[in-house]
Structures are given as C-alpha cells and as structure tokens.
Amino acid sequence: MEVVAAILGSAVMEAGRSLCGSFPSIKNFISFQSNLTTLEKEKKSLVDQKDKVIEDVDYSSDAQMTQWLREVEQFLHDVVNSVPTGITANNGKLCGCFFNFSERYRLSKETAIRLKEIERLLKVGDIAVKMAGQNYLTKAVEHIPGPSIVNQTTASQNLAKVMDLLNDDDVLRIGVWGMGGVGKTTLVKNLNNQLKGSSSTHQFGVVIWATVSKNLDLKKVQIQLAERLNFKASMEESVQRLAIQLHQRLQKEKFLLILDDVWEPIDLDSLGVPQTEDHTGSKIILTSRSLEVCREMKTDKEVKVDVLNDEESWQLFTENAGKVATSEHIEPIARYVARECSGLPLAITIVGSVMRGKTMVELWTDALSGLRRSVPNIKGIENKVYNPLKWSYDSLQGKNIKPCFLYCCLYPEDFSIGVSELVNCWLGEGLIDQQQNYEDSYNRGIALIENLKDCCLLEHGAHEVTVKMHDVVHDVAIWISSTMEDECKSIVRSGIGLTRISEVEMSESLKRVSFMNNRITKLPNCGICCPETVSLLLQGNRFLSQIPNGFLQAFESLKVLNLSETRIRLLPQSMLELGDLRILLLKKCFYLEELPQLGGLSKLQVLDCSETSIRELPSGMKSLINLRQLYLSGTYNLKTIQSGIVSGLSGLEVLDMTSGAYIWGLMEEANDRQATFEELQNLEQLHSLSIRLGRIQSLQNEDLTLIGRLRIFKLLIGPETNSFRSKHDKRKLIISGLQLSGEWIGRLLTNASMMHLNNCPGLNQMLETLVIRSIGSYTCLKSLTITRSSSSLRPDGGCTALDLLPNLEELRLHDLTKLGSISELVGLLGLRFSRLKLLEVFRCEGLEYLLTCGNFIISLPNLETIKVSSCESFVEIFNFPLQENFVPEPVVPNLRTLKLVKLPRLETLSRQDGSGQHSKFISCVYHMKAIEQVEVFKCDNLRKLPLTIQNANTMKEIRGEAEWWNQLELEAPHNTKSSLDRFFNGE
C-alpha cells in the first residue's frame, strides 16, 4: 500500500506542477472526457465533409481544395496514430483501474489542440467549397422552359433533322439559321429538352446552353459556360484566364454546346471551347439569322428554319387567341389576321395573345387594318416582324403602359431586369401613382408587367422575379423610342462595349438615356445639355471611378439616376442640386465609403446603398421626409447609426438592412447617440423591415406591436447565419447562436410565418416553456427550420394535446445529432401535420425513422416532398405499430418527390411485415399515385420501392446509380420496370 501511495503521490505532484502553468490547461484537464467525445463527433463531421467533396465536387483544378484535402488526410492519420487504444475503447472513455495523471494531462492538452485544428479545417472546408463555386458534378442535361413544337409539323421535322445529324459521326458542327422570330431558339430548346429524356443523352457527358446575343461579349458567354459546368468564374478574371479554365474542364468529357443567337463568328479558342475536330464525340450547335455566320463558324450541316405554312400558322394562332378565333362570326377575319403575321411564330404568338378573348368583330377588323398599314422604314426581311410587333405596341391599352414597355429597352439585349427595380423606375418617372403606398405601387407594377407578358411583349427572365424582352421585341422597342418626339424619346447604348460617351448623340430633347453595362472609364465634364432627361442609367460600368461635377449639371430634370456597380468613391456636389430626383441607386458601389449631406434631395423616394462601404449615414438624411424605401443590406462597414436619423424619415415604408453589421439594440442597452429599436415605432408608414437584433430579452409590448403591424419582416436575433429560402419568408424570424433555456418566444411567434432556430442551446427547455405558456395555436407559422443542435427534442415534462402549429407546411431539420425521430417533436408540440407539404432531414446521425404513424398521425394528406440524406442510422421512413388487426391507410397519397441520399442502413420504406404480407402492406401505406420524381443515391441496401405500373402516368424522372436501378425490385406485374425505364436518368 505504501508503494502504491508513493506512486500516486508522485504522479499527483507532477500533474500539479504541470497544471499550475495556466488556467486553460486546468480547464482542458477537467474537460478531458467531454473534449474526447467532441473530438470524435467533429472528426466524423470532417470525414463526412471530406467524403462529400471527393464524391460530389470537381476539385481537380482547385489548388485550395486539393491542399485542404491533403491537410484533412494528414490530420485524420495523425489523430488515429496518436490516440491510445485505451481511450477509444468503451465509447471513448479511459479504460483500466489506474490513471497516469501526467499522461492524462498531456493527452488533455493534445486533445484541445486537435479540437482547434479540426474546427479550423471544418471552417476552411466550408469556405473552400464556396470559393470553388460549389462545383458539384454537373447534370448531363438541364431542362429549359419554352413552348412545345409537338403540334407543328414543319418544326418537328426540323427537330428530327437535327437529332439525326447529332447521331451522324461525320457531322461535328450544326448551324440552325433563319430570320428573327422564326423559331430557331424554340427549336433548339425543344432539342435540349428532348435530349433530357432520350437515350441519346448518354452520347454526351454534358449538354451546355449559352446565349450569345447581338453585341458579342466573350466573357459573358464564358460566365454562362462556367455556371453550367458548376465552377466559380468572376467577371474580374481575364478572358484568357477563363478560356484556360473552361478548356481544361471541357477536355474531360464529351459535350454538346448550344450557342444561341450568334450574330458574328466566334473564336472557339478564345472562348475556351476545344475544337470539335480534336475532341472526339463532342459537337456544337449554333443558331443565327445569317447563313454566312454559320459557314464562317465552319458548320458541317445547316438546317434552315422557315416560316410556318398557313395551316400551322392558324393552329398556333388559335392556341394563343383561344376559342374566340374559331367562333363562327370571328373565324373568317381571324384567318386574315393570322395570315398578316407572315407565318412567323413570334408575331403569331404576340398578335394571337393580344386578340385573346375579344369577341367583337369590330375589334378584329380594326386589328386587321392596323396590320395592313404601311411598314416602318426598315430595310430587309425584318419588315415582316416589325410590322405586327409595332401594331401590338399600338394596341396596348391602359394608362402609361406604353412608356412602361419602352422603359424595358433601356436595358441590354437578353438582360434579365429585376422586377422591383423596374417598378421603382416607373414610380420615379411618375408612371405609377405616387400617392399610393409602396405595396400598392408594387402591385400596380406587377399588374402592368403581367399585362405585357400576356401580350408576349415581355417574358420571364433567367432568374426568379425578373423579366426580359425577346431580342426582336427589344430591337423594335429601341426603334420606336428612338424615333418618338414625346416623353419616351430615348438613346440606348447599353451593353455594347462603349468606352466613352459621344457628345454628338446627346440631344436636348432626350427623355431617357442608357449607357449601362459598358466599359466607360470617363464621363465628359461639360459639352452636353439634356435638360429634359428624366432617367439616366450608368450602372454596370465597372471601370467608372468618378462622376464629374459638370456632367450631372447637364441633367437638371433627372428623376431616376442609377450608378450601381461602378467604382465611384464619392458623389459629386452637383447631385445635391437635382431637386426632382426620386430614385438614387448605388447598389454594389463597393468603393463608396461616404455619402454627402442628402437633405437637399427633398423629393427622393428610393435610396439603395446596399453592398457599399459606407461607414455612417449623414445627419442631413433626416430631412428626407418623402423617402419611402431605404436599402442598406450588405453594408458591413456601417457599424453605427446616429440616433434620430432613421426615426426622422417619417414617410419610410421599407427598411432593408439584411446581412449588415449594425445591430439594433434596445434603449436600455445603447448609448444616447446610437439608434435603437424603439425609435422604429415612430415610423407609422413602415410595413417592411429587415434588421438584426442582439437578443430576445426585454422586448416590450410596444416593440411587439410594431412587429405585429408589419406586413413583411426579417428579424435576425444573434450572429448572422445563412437561412433557407421559402415561399413563406415574408415574416421571417431567425434566432441564431443564443442560449434559449427559459426564453419565451411566443409573442414573436404569433406574427412569424417562418422561423429558423440555428445552433441554439437550451432548445428543449425553450420548447417546453412554449408548451406551458401557450394558450392557443400559432396559426401564422408555416415554415419551421431547426439546424445545428444537440437537443433531443424529446419532452422531459408534459406535452400538449393542442396542435401548436396547425398550418405548418414546411419542416426542415439539419444537423440534429440526438434526434431519434420526428415523433418526439410531434409529441412535444402536439403536431398533426395536416397541412405539411415539405419534410426535409439532413445529417441527423441518430435518426432511425421519420414518424410513427397510427397514434397522433394517421396520414399526411398534403405531403408532397420528402427529402432524407446523410443519416447513418436511418432504417425506415415511417414506423407502424405492431398491432393485431391494424389496417393501414395511405400515408402519403399526394407525394410528388421522394429523395433519399446516403442512407447506408435503409433496406425498405417500412420494416413492418404485416404478418408475412410485407409487399401488400407497403403498397397500401405508400400508395404514391401522384409521384413525379424519385431520387436515390448511395442507398446500397434499398432493394424495393412501392412503384407500380400506374406510376408511369405521373412520373417525370427517376435518378440514381445505374447499378442500383438494375437490381431494384418493383411491384408486379413483371412489366412495371420496363414501363418506368424511360424515366430513369442514371448517373
């Protein structure tokens, strides 16, 4: 015993001397066991992240990603070799009856160092993936929305020709040519979409679409190619550098490149596209109005797209004009109207849409007369297009709709215009009633846009909430606006590569001027005079660093000024003399650090300073009593706002400070000079608010009253975090990185339509508090997201019989390490999921199944989407009670999308065998009569799916590994598999 005591005493003294060095060492020593557990968990996350990069990301040309992978491999190797076997035994606990304190101290210190290193690697990994542009492996074909040509004989024949040429090994380049508006783009869109569901897809590793447009900009085309290939490319990079990157990427696989709307020959080497002659199996299709361009591009075969014949024209016309065109008293004259469109699909579509629903013969007669009037003085075959389009413009009815339409041509060809920006510009020019509030004005703008879409004069843009003009419609609109002498006379020189402004072109009668998206480096300081110009668009001139004082003096009547995406550092004093200015847009002026005193701009209604480097708001801003919209999102240098400035903007309706640095504190927390949350209560017109708060506590009833009267809000409480997009994010509440134990969020939840809880300790206690203190349901909440939590969501106390979230439509659960099933959350909050449409679970390592069905929840009648991925313990989707005489009913009768990824233990959708009637049971429970899309990857043990031959009626796509699909067992009869084969897209 004495010997043992002596040894122990020596060990303790040695450990004591080591521990006295610093407090962190003591903390590490005490937290040794928990640090070991955390290290094991974080190591698993790092392995998952590494595996995902290796499997899903193209990192071959990314030095930073490659270096990160090396560091991860080395780290994992070092950890495995440095941790004694005794530590990892018994679930990470030290084994044995004798502790060597000195060894424990050494290991505790090493574990703490490893933890810091693994945190660094995880963070660097996230950044590296983002820097790489999230180069996830590219889909072979992406569907492109567009009209079908199924019922058009001539177009279908042309499509068949091109498909045959694709299968001809001697044809490497195909030219599709014809006049503007004849349907070239529609043809190749149909070709692209047909390849998506065709066995010919396997001929190409990837099908790439790029729109070239009239004024060739190689870099813009390169950016489109890079985005399609899923690697990051910047407009700041040189054309040569992008060409090298694209060439390296395209060399790896067979490709089909579709270049739409080519006006002049393109040097493929400069673009970065391998020559088809040297890259076996790859092909190029281009569309152009010119056969000569096709030949200069060395096409092997050309397919001419001609106008439609009379019968095809009539069929397309009736599709757009509707049944009225075939009515007995209208059809004779309607056929003449259709014939005046000269067989051009674009003109037929537009004129037919304009005439839809018009039942009076007089209106059709007037339309025919308008179409037969003299053609605009434009040379060439384009006359046939311009005449019906000009007539469509002349036929526009409604206050200000014509000038609203012509405003769209100020933007470059094929440019997707943000709807909000467009409506604001219309508002600034007075084309929308300025007496309305912002919401009413916006709705009026949307109505005008939809009217123009219905007339086919505008179409959906490339991005959400954007619109664009067809290139032919764009040309016609420019022609109209350049020849007018009224309020719409314009000069449009947008997106054509200008480096300077021609003073000769700047006449005194101009109302609108657009030089946007050029390469202008310097503006004239004098020599021009445009006293009647109301809109000046200079955005997108990325090399423009200065606005001369004399330049803006030439535009004394300006109402709309857009300087976004320029390099300006200061605004000229002459801008403060623009007394009629209503709209000032400075978005993405990254070098702009200071605003002048803006008090003189008394009529200013919209100020957009988002993503600028401004450090403060000028005190003179408080005089802008007519300011209705203030955008300050992404202003990471704006860390202080003087008290009284924002609260002085009495007319403010929209305040957007999303992703900014400024944290709105409460009066009890802030100093006298800082703007506080309470000040916002003075803004009686405010209806849209996006800000960041520091904490939940101390929000008074008055504060909650403000939130309650907002139509739109985004409140971020805590550190900034990324959030999910949802159609229910009009009233979004994000709580991130806060200790929620004991917090009461019920009053905030009363008004929220979407809530995201991220990395919040004490989640269980907060939810239990919510249950205890709630006296009713939270009917507004439709979307709930919980991410990065170790809470079990398992109730420790009582549950509620009341469904607290009766209208919930979306539930997302990501990185919940201790979640066993969603039934735990269901029981705690009394959820019934009667309206649930989306259920998404990601990386919940303890999750075994989603829900137990038969107690609280019998079916999910409205569920449309189930997504489960990276859940290692997951064995079944729904768990059913083993009850005698239990008769299940379809749980997901309206399921449309089922996505299952990386679920190694999943063997079947339900383990309930129904007393030997497993297949019958599964078919009944998963009666997926509405299923449209199935995606299964890395679920190697999943051998059965309850798909039937009836699913071929609704199915659109089945994605997965070819080996998995070949081994999959489906329901009888034996031809079920063959009936679904055509929907399978193997990867």
Side-chain angles (χ1 to χ4, degrees):
M1 287 292 294
E2 291 178 357
V3 174
V4 173
I7 294 173
L8 282 172
S10 174
V12 170
M13 289 176 63
E14 184 180 348
R17 285 193 296 270
S18 301
L19 290 171
C20 287
S22 65
F23 178 76
S25 298
I26 298 173
K27 182 179 179 182
N28 293 335
F29 187 83
I30 295 171
S31 306
F32 179 42
Q33 185 59 58
S34 64
N35 283 351
L36 275 177
T37 304
T38 304
L39 178 63
E40 189 65 25
K41 187 184 299 181
E42 293 295 279
K43 187 182 81 171
K44 188 172 180 298
S45 297
L46 186 63
V47 170
D48 286 344
Q49 189 181 47
K50 180 201 73 170
D51 290 345
K52 185 172 181 61
V53 167
I54 291 173
E55 294 163 2
D56 295 342
V57 178
D58 179 15
Y59 58 88
S60 57
S61 60
D62 192 316
Q64 183 179 7
M65 185 71 76
T66 304
Q67 176 62 26
W68 178 80
L69 285 170
R70 287 199 200 100
E71 291 181 13
V72 171
E73 292 287 0
Q74 185 62 48
F75 174 82
L76 294 173
H77 177 270
D78 293 346
V79 168
V80 170
N81 291 332
S82 65
V83 178
T85 56
I87 289 180
T88 56
N90 193 24
N91 295 322
K93 296 180 180 179
L94 283 167
C95 295
C97 60
F98 177 73
F99 280 13
N100 183 324
F101 285 91
S102 178
E103 178 68 7
R104 179 181 176 115
Y105 166 71
R106 183 187 68 78
L107 288 173
S108 67
K109 185 176 180 180
E110 184 175 330
T111 301
I113 293 172
R114 298 287 188 199
L115 269 177
K116 287 185 179 179
E117 175 63 7
I118 207 168
E119 288 173 2
R120 182 189 72 81
L121 286 171
L122 284 168
K123 185 175 181 180
V124 171
D126 286 336
I127 295 172
V129 170
K130 291 176 181 176
M131 291 291 288
Q134 295 195 355
N135 304 335
Y136 293 107
L137 299 178
T138 308
K139 292 181 181 179
V141 188
E142 285 188 343
H143 179 83
I144 301 175
S148 172
I149 58 173
V150 172
N151 296 322
Q152 297 176 26
T153 304
T154 303
S156 297
Q157 290 171 349
N158 285 331
L159 178 59
K161 285 182 190 176
V162 180
M163 288 293 288
D164 289 341
L165 292 173
L166 282 180
N167 294 319
D168 187 338
D169 293 337
D170 294 328
V171 177
L172 303 180
R173 302 187 191 186
I174 304 167
V176 177
W177 69 285
M179 63 180 293
V182 80
K184 302 182 296 296
T185 298
T186 299
L187 174 66
V188 289
K189 279 184 178 179
N190 277 261
L191 171 78
N192 177 90
N193 297 339
Q194 185 166 316
L195 286 172
K196 185 172 178 62
S198 167
S199 58
S200 300
T201 300
H202 304 295
Q203 179 181 346
F204 304 106
V206 61
V207 179
I208 309 164
W209 177 289
T211 302
V212 180
S213 300
K214 189 173 185 177
N215 299 294
L216 175 62
D217 187 326
L218 273 181
K219 188 177 290 187
K220 287 182 179 178
V221 179
Q222 289 175 322
I223 294 294
Q224 291 179 67
L225 301 184
E227 289 176 350
R228 176 66 181 91
L229 294 169
N230 283 336
F231 73 83
K232 186 178 179 63
S234 169
M235 287 295 290
E236 303 302 321
E237 292 189 75
S238 68
V239 169
Q240 292 78 8
R241 177 60 186 159
L242 288 173
I244 292 171
Q245 293 175 327
L246 286 169
H247 196 277
Q248 290 173 344
R249 176 68 176 84
L250 289 171
Q251 282 280 28
K252 296 177 182 178
E253 56 189 323
K254 298 176 183 178
F255 63 84
L256 171 62
L257 174 61
I258 302 175
L259 297 172
D260 184 41
D261 198 19
V262 179
W263 287 70
E264 59 184 275
I266 301 173
D267 185 341
L268 295 179
D269 292 329
S270 299
L271 186 61
V273 175
Q275 298 289 338
T276 50
E277 296 81 3
D278 304 324
H279 196 57
T280 305
S282 294
K283 300 195 177 192
I284 296 173
I285 297 176
L286 63 95
T287 72
S288 178
R289 299 185 186 186
S290 167
L291 176 60
E292 188 63 29
V293 169
C294 294
R295 289 173 174 167
E296 289 186 47
M297 288 288 292
K298 301 178 182 177
T299 52
D300 299 302
K301 292 287 183 178
E302 296 82 31
V303 176
K304 183 180 181 183
V305 181
D306 283 314
V307 297
L308 304 179
N309 60 40
D310 285 349
E311 195 52 43
E312 290 174 325
S313 297
W314 175 244
Q315 185 174 354
L316 181 60
F317 186 84
T318 55
E319 287 176 8
N320 288 276
K323 293 182 179 179
V324 65
T326 57
S327 61
E328 184 178 356
H329 66 298
I330 295 294
E331 182 173 345
I333 193 167
R335 284 187 175 273
Y336 283 112
V337 170
R339 203 168 294 141
E340 285 298 320
C341 295
S342 305
L344 283 161
L346 177 64
I348 294 168
T349 300
I350 291 175
V351 174
S353 299
V354 170
M355 299 308 296
R356 190 177 187 89
K358 294 185 177 180
T359 59
M360 296 177 62
V361 173
E362 292 83 357
L363 296 178
W364 285 83
T365 304
D366 182 65
L368 181 61
S369 300
L371 287 167
R372 286 175 169 172
R373 290 190 195 116
S374 58
V375 180
N377 186 24
I378 305 169
K379 295 180 180 179
I381 199 168
E382 306 297 352
N383 293 349
K384 295 183 179 180
V385 184
Y386 278 53
N387 193 33
L389 295 190
K390 175 63 166 63
W391 172 83
S392 299
Y393 166 81
D394 292 335
S395 301
L396 288 173
Q397 300 293 321
K399 182 180 179 183
N400 291 330
I401 192 170
K402 289 182 180 178
C404 284
F405 163 71
L406 294 178
Y407 201 99
C408 300
C409 78
L410 300 180
Y411 294 83
E413 184 179 302
D414 289 311
F415 187 87
S416 293
I417 312 167
V419 167
S420 181
E421 177 183 315
L422 183 60
V423 172
N424 276 335
C425 291
W426 289 348
L427 180 69
E429 281 206 3
L431 302 176
I432 298 176
D433 186 1
Q434 299 184 23
Q435 301 304 313
Q436 297 177 320
N437 60 37
Y438 169 74
E439 187 174 28
D440 291 338
S441 298
Y442 184 81
N443 290 339
R444 175 58 184 154
I446 294 296
L448 289 169
I449 287 172
E450 291 304 310
N451 193 341
L452 292 170
K453 282 183 182 178
D454 290 343
C455 297
C456 295
L457 295 175
L458 284 182
E459 57 190 56
H460 290 290
H463 312 290
E464 192 175 355
V465 202
T466 62
V467 292
K468 60 181 287 190
M469 281 181 156
H470 187 283
D471 55 351
V472 178
V473 177
H474 186 262
D475 290 344
V476 173
I478 289 178
W479 172 77
I480 294 171
S481 60
S482 64
T483 56
M484 298 183 75
E485 295 299 332
D486 61 4
E487 71 279 0
C488 294
K489 185 171 184 180
S490 309
I491 178 172
V492 182
R493 299 290 184 269
S494 57
I496 58 175
L498 288 180
T499 57
R500 59 182 296 273
I501 289 177
S502 172
E503 299 172 12
V504 177
E505 293 182 307
M506 307 295 288
S507 69
E508 294 187 8
S509 59
L510 287 173
K511 301 300 189 299
R512 295 167 173 169
V513 175
S514 176
F515 287 98
M516 69 174 284
N517 283 27
N518 282 301
R519 299 171 184 171
I520 296 171
T521 57
K522 188 176 181 181
L523 297 172
N525 196 20
C526 57
I528 57 176
C529 182
C530 300
E532 298 182 22
T533 300
V534 292
S535 283
L536 175 60
L537 307 187
L538 291 169
Q539 68 267 35
N541 283 286
R542 299 173 183 272
F543 303 104
L544 182 62
S545 59
Q546 185 180 6
I547 309 294
N549 206 55
F551 178 75
L552 286 184
Q553 289 176 341
F555 300 91
E556 60 188 50
S557 300
L558 272 188
K559 295 181 178 179
V560 178
L561 176 60
N562 196 335
L563 299 172
S564 302
E565 296 184 69
T566 60
R567 292 194 178 189
I568 57 171
R569 297 177 181 272
L570 293 171
L571 294 169
Q573 287 298 311
S574 58
M575 190 192 72
L576 304 180
E577 300 170 9
L578 301 175
D580 282 331
L581 194 65
R582 270 101 165 149
I583 314 293
L584 177 58
L585 306 179
L586 304 168
K587 184 177 183 178
K588 293 186 179 180
C589 291
F590 301 119
Y591 297 91
L592 184 64
E593 297 183 354
E594 182 182 351
L595 293 176
Q597 295 296 329
L598 300 173
L601 303 178
S602 59
K603 295 183 180 180
L604 195 65
Q605 297 181 21
V606 178
L607 176 60
D608 189 346
C609 296
S610 54
E611 297 182 68
T612 63
S613 297
I614 60 171
R615 301 179 183 278
E616 62 179 358
L617 300 180
S619 58
M621 270 188 65
K622 66 179 68 174
S623 303
L624 302 179
I625 58 174
N626 289 307
L627 191 68
R628 299 164 66 175
Q629 302 171 49
L630 177 59
Y631 297 95
L632 297 168
S633 62
T635 49
Y636 292 103
N637 292 329
L638 182 62
K639 298 179 180 178
T640 179
I641 296 178
Q642 186 179 336
S643 177
I645 293 180
V646 175
S647 59
L649 304 173
S650 57
L652 198 64
E653 299 177 32
V654 178
L655 175 59
D656 183 358
M657 298 184 67
T658 310
S659 302
Y662 190 74
I663 299 175
W664 287 80
L666 299 168
M667 197 172 294
E668 62 188 47
E669 306 164 341
N671 60 48
D672 294 338
R673 299 188 60 190
Q674 287 283 85
T676 63
F677 184 74
E678 287 88 345
E679 291 185 37
L680 300 177
Q681 297 171 18
N682 299 326
L683 302 176
E684 296 180 357
Q685 306 302 318
L686 192 68
H687 81 87
S688 178
L689 176 67
S690 298
I691 59 170
R692 182 177 166 192
L693 297 170
R695 58 194 182 100
I696 300 173
Q697 300 100 311
S698 302
L699 283 175
Q700 303 300 315
N701 288 332
E702 295 82 0
D703 306 322
L704 297 168
T705 301
L706 165 65
I707 296 172
R709 64 179 167 86
L710 295 171
R711 294 187 182 91
I712 301 171
F713 66 74
K714 178 182 177 181
L715 301 180
L716 169 59
I717 306 177
E720 188 172 337
T721 184
N722 293 325
S723 186
F724 295 85
R725 300 189 68 178
S726 167
K727 64 179 181 179
H728 302 301
D729 58 5
K730 273 197 168 184
R731 297 187 182 95
K732 181 187 291 189
L733 173 64
I734 304 172
I735 303 176
S736 175
L738 297 185
Q739 171 59 254
L740 295 181
S741 179
E743 289 288 356
W744 166 239
I745 66 167
R747 286 182 292 184
L748 284 172
L749 207 53
T750 300
N751 299 294
S753 59
M754 175 182 179
M755 179 168 70
H756 182 184
L757 302 172
N758 174 66
N759 193 24
C760 294
L763 191 56
N764 269 24
Q765 297 90 324
M766 184 276 288
L767 292 175
E768 289 176 9
T769 302
L770 187 67
V771 170
I772 294 169
R773 297 184 59 178
S774 296
I775 58 175
S777 298
Y778 300 98
T779 55
C780 289
L781 195 73
K782 295 188 177 181
S783 178
L784 173 62
T785 299
I786 304 176
T787 57
R788 297 181 61 200
S789 174
S790 59
S791 298
S792 66
L793 302 184
R794 186 179 297 112
D796 295 326
C799 301
T800 177
L802 177 69
D803 186 349
L804 291 184
L805 308 176
N807 295 321
L808 192 68
E809 294 184 13
E810 300 174 349
L811 178 62
R812 295 181 178 88
L813 304 172
H814 286 213
D815 292 291
L816 306 188
T817 56
K818 293 185 180 179
L819 182 69
S821 83
I822 301 175
S823 293
E824 295 157 357
L825 183 64
V826 168
L828 180 60
L829 301 181
L831 304 179
R832 299 294 183 272
F833 289 153
S834 59
R835 296 178 181 268
L836 193 69
K837 294 183 178 180
L838 168 70
L839 183 53
E840 177 178 310
V841 182
F842 173 71
R843 212 157 59 187
C844 296
E845 59 190 40
L847 187 78
E848 295 184 7
Y849 58 89
L850 294 182
L851 290 166
T852 297
C853 295
N855 296 325
F856 284 103
I857 295 175
I858 298 175
S859 71
L860 301 168
N862 292 299
L863 189 63
E864 297 178 352
T865 302
I866 294 177
K867 297 181 180 180
V868 186
S869 56
S870 300
C871 299
E872 294 190 357
S873 303
F874 194 76
V875 294
E876 61 183 335
I877 294 182
F878 299 117
N879 177 265
F880 295 89
L882 288 170
Q883 298 174 2
E884 207 170 320
N885 301 321
F886 173 66
V887 180
E889 62 178 89
V891 178
V892 284
N894 289 303
L895 189 69
R896 285 172 167 75
T897 300
L898 177 63
K899 181 176 180 180
L900 305 170
V901 178
K902 204 172 183 182
L903 307 172
R905 294 185 60 193
L906 180 65
E907 297 180 7
T908 176
L909 299 191
S910 177
R911 292 180 295 177
Q912 161 70 282
D913 62 10
S915 301
Q917 300 295 320
H918 178 78
S919 295
K920 185 176 180 181
F921 178 87
I922 292 295
S923 298
C924 180
V925 169
Y926 295 96
H927 182 54
M928 300 184 292
K929 62 181 181 180
I931 193 73
E932 296 177 353
Q933 184 173 22
V934 174
E935 182 174 327
V936 179
F937 284 99
K938 298 180 183 175
C939 301
D940 297 337
N941 293 313
L942 181 62
R943 290 288 178 260
K944 293 184 178 181
L945 281 179
L947 297 176
T948 69
I949 195 168
Q950 285 76 28
N951 292 130
N953 298 325
T954 59
M955 190 68 71
K956 293 181 178 178
E957 184 179 38
I958 301 173
R959 297 182 62 226
E961 297 104 337
E963 183 179 355
W964 165 80
W965 177 250
N966 292 333
Q967 297 178 3
L968 188 69
E969 298 177 23
L970 299 179
E971 297 293 316
H974 66 279
N975 61 342
T976 297
K977 190 76 167 288
S978 60
S979 69
L980 294 173
D981 268 335
R982 59 195 172 99
F983 302 107
F984 179 68
N985 182 6
E987 294 186 11

